[in-house]
Amino acid sequence: MFEFDNNTTRFSLRNAFRLAEASESVYNPSWDEVEKKVTQEWGFANFTPFEKDDTEAFICGNDAMLILAFRGTQTLEDWQTDFKVQLVESSVGRVHKGFTESLDNIWEEIKQSISQFRDKNQKIWITGHSPGGALAALAVDRLTEDDEDISGLYTFGQPRVGDKDFAGNFNWKIKSRAFRFVNDEDIVTRVPPRLLGYEETGTVRFFDTHGVLYKDNIFWKKWLSLSESATVRSLDRFQELKSRYPNCTEDHSLARYPANIRKNYVKETGVKTFKDYLQAM
């Protein structure tokens, strides 16, 4: 059973957990297994995968909602090269060249599937982990520019996507429905650096080293001020971050995100037993 708060655009740990699950599912190398999970376990009637030139995603839907989940398959080093990290012009500001090209690979197919599946004005939810989170953010930007109503964007370990103009336009449109999870020292959320013109988008949800969830941007800003000096150089910053923050690569693991979401959901809802937990989730 796929329990989901489909009728709210406010932050929901239940929705965060389910969309983290969708983000994790897109990493499965077998689309047949993903389809089986989506249709048999989640109860979604529609499912379509997308795969071209290292870009992968899937969309699934029922009569109430659609979920679009992205996988960023490029290695971190690949999309951090000078060529890929360039900011290129778009209609709403400058955006990451590599992420833009990756989304272009499957964009027309995605739009066709949304048009096909959205026959009852279903709510649209979009998600992704790592570079997949960046693709999810770019997809939301494109869809909202086309006047599509997006109910929520939840990303996990997402790198920065665009410049100040892009971020300003994005946040004006959907910041209150766009939640960007950061786990402690997660290295990928620190790149590409501001010194190259990049800015954050969305509303931050931050897990500290103990997995405690912070919704207050004051805490995030304090953490930024402590770590900003670690992102001085573009192509050298991975090694610098690794030396300064020993857990930065471990904290990027997708498994860390749903585990912390579970912990905070149990705390928030006050469930006592494992049975209660299963019913709550």
Side-chain angles (χ1 to χ4, degrees):
M1 190 67 176
F2 194 82
E3 299 292 341
F4 198 87
D5 299 325
N6 192 41
N7 293 319
T8 184
T9 58
R10 295 183 178 182
F11 177 70
S12 165
L13 277 172
R14 185 199 297 265
N15 292 359
F17 178 81
R18 289 306 186 191
L19 293 172
E21 187 178 8
S23 295
E24 189 172 26
S25 296
V26 79
Y27 280 92
N28 190 322
S30 170
W31 287 124
D32 288 341
E33 291 181 6
V34 178
E35 182 174 12
K36 182 177 180 181
K37 179 175 184 175
V38 166
T39 56
Q40 297 185 15
E41 295 182 24
W42 296 359
F44 284 68
N46 298 313
F47 172 83
T48 296
F50 311 100
E51 183 173 355
K52 183 180 179 183
D53 296 340
D54 289 336
T55 308
E56 297 182 33
F58 73 78
I59 189 170
C60 60
N62 56 26
D63 288 344
M65 62 185 293
L66 304 180
I67 293 176
L68 176 60
F70 287 91
R71 173 188 178 188
T73 57
Q74 304 99 321
T75 65
L76 298 183
E77 290 76 11
D78 178 51
W79 59 262
Q80 278 297 109
T81 63
D82 283 325
F83 176 71
K84 293 293 184 180
V85 82
Q86 292 175 9
L87 285 164
V88 295
E89 295 295 333
S90 77
S91 62
V92 291
R94 296 185 300 156
V95 293
H96 187 286
K97 179 180 177 66
F99 297 149
T100 300
E101 292 177 348
S102 185
L103 183 59
D104 286 342
N105 286 333
I106 57 175
W107 185 241
E108 290 304 318
E109 290 82 355
I110 287 173
K111 289 198 299 181
Q112 291 172 10
S113 293
I114 290 175
S115 178
Q116 176 186 352
F117 291 166
R118 201 181 189 200
D119 55 352
K120 294 180 173 62
N121 199 33
Q122 287 94 330
K123 306 290 181 64
I124 301 177
W125 300 85
I126 301 181
T127 190
H129 167 253
S130 193
L135 299 185
L138 283 175
V140 165
D141 181 71
R142 292 184 183 188
L143 290 170
T144 51
E145 284 297 299
D146 290 338
D147 295 324
E148 291 281 7
D149 185 28
I150 306 300
S151 291
L153 167 69
Y154 286 68
T155 65
F156 309 92
Q158 175 200 321
R160 296 168 181 141
V161 177
D163 69 358
K164 182 178 180 179
D165 290 339
F166 171 85
N169 184 67
F170 182 96
N171 289 336
W172 177 77
K173 292 186 297 185
I174 199 170
K175 182 176 182 178
S176 65
R177 289 170 281 159
F179 303 101
R180 182 168 53 86
F181 281 84
V182 176
N183 184 46
D184 199 22
E185 297 173 3
D186 186 342
I187 187 174
V188 175
T189 63
R190 309 299 307 125
V191 294
R194 290 189 184 84
L195 292 179
L196 291 183
Y198 284 86
E199 293 284 341
E200 278 88 4
T201 55
T203 304
V204 174
R205 291 292 182 262
F206 179 72
F207 295 117
D208 69 10
T209 189
H210 303 292
V212 176
L213 178 64
Y214 288 82
K215 303 177 184 179
D216 189 343
N217 277 343
I218 294 176
F219 185 92
W220 170 246
K221 289 177 181 178
K222 288 181 179 179
W223 187 80
L224 282 180
S225 67
L226 291 173
S227 60
E228 184 63 25
S229 60
T231 60
V232 174
R233 292 181 295 275
S234 172
L235 299 181
D236 295 334
R237 67 185 158 278
F238 279 102
Q239 292 304 320
E240 188 170 356
L241 279 168
K242 286 178 183 178
S243 64
R244 189 173 295 229
Y245 301 100
N247 296 319
C248 60
T249 52
E250 292 180 12
D251 286 343
H252 182 61
S253 168
L254 179 54
R256 296 290 182 94
Y257 285 92
N260 286 337
I261 291 169
R262 285 191 194 98
K263 181 189 301 183
N264 285 273
Y265 186 82
V266 168
K267 180 180 179 181
E268 180 180 277
T269 57
V271 296
K272 302 296 183 181
T273 68
F274 184 67
K275 181 179 179 181
D276 291 337
Y277 168 74
L278 289 178
Q279 291 176 343
M281 294 306 295

